[in-house]
Amino acid sequence: MTSDGFTTCLWFDGQAEEAAAFYTSIFKNSRLGRVGRYTEAGPGPAGSVMAVEFEANGQKFVALNGGPEFRFNEAISFQLFCADQQELDHYWARLTEGGAEVACGWLRDKFGVSWQVIPAGLVERLSDPDPEKAQRVTAAMLSMVKFDFAALDRAYAGE
């Protein structure tokens, strides 16, 4: 391989530049990179944005203006593990701007990309060796749209 790690390519219908700017405005350790433009060879209009390289939270991406053929769906999502309620609320608010809340910590942003905004430690609690604790946390989680740290803590503690 000629580079470290992987680069995720996200397919947009004319919104690649807007999407790259949106994502880099939300996450620390983010930056916009090169912008490639279509030439007379097409398939897009000459001079229009073909692709934008960017990093969001240190992850490498390319936003590609590929056309209307493909749409995002929940089969692929990005997980954000948050340290506290304030951090979770921040990402939830920013990513749902123009998007939609779904369920169990899932949301779709304004471009249709799915995200899971999750409290750090939730997965460990869901798989706790004490089946009663795991069941209580699972039941609490399933009742939520946006996660509530305090409510999940209470469920885990049996309160």
Side-chain angles (χ1 to χ4, degrees), residues 1-3 16 18 36 39-40 45-46 64 69 74-75 87 115 124 129 145 154-155 158:
M1 288 181 23
T2 60
S3 66
E18 178 188 353
T39 66
E40 295 295 331
L64 172 70
E69 293 84 3
E74 289 77 7
E87 185 177 52
W115 298 83
E124 290 79 10
V145 176
R154 286 190 301 274

Side-chain angles (χ1 to χ4, degrees), residues 86-102:
Q86 181 180 1
E87 185 177 52
L88 188 144
D89 291 346
H90 165 75
Y91 289 121
W92 190 270
R94 290 298 314 274
L95 290 166
T96 56
E97 290 172 8
E101 297 180 344
V102 182

Side-chain angles (χ1 to χ4, degrees), residues 1-9 55 58-61:
M1 288 181 23
T2 60
S3 66
D4 295 330
F6 294 97
T7 299
T8 301
C9 181
E55 286 186 23
Q59 299 291 317
K60 296 182 289 186
F61 293 90

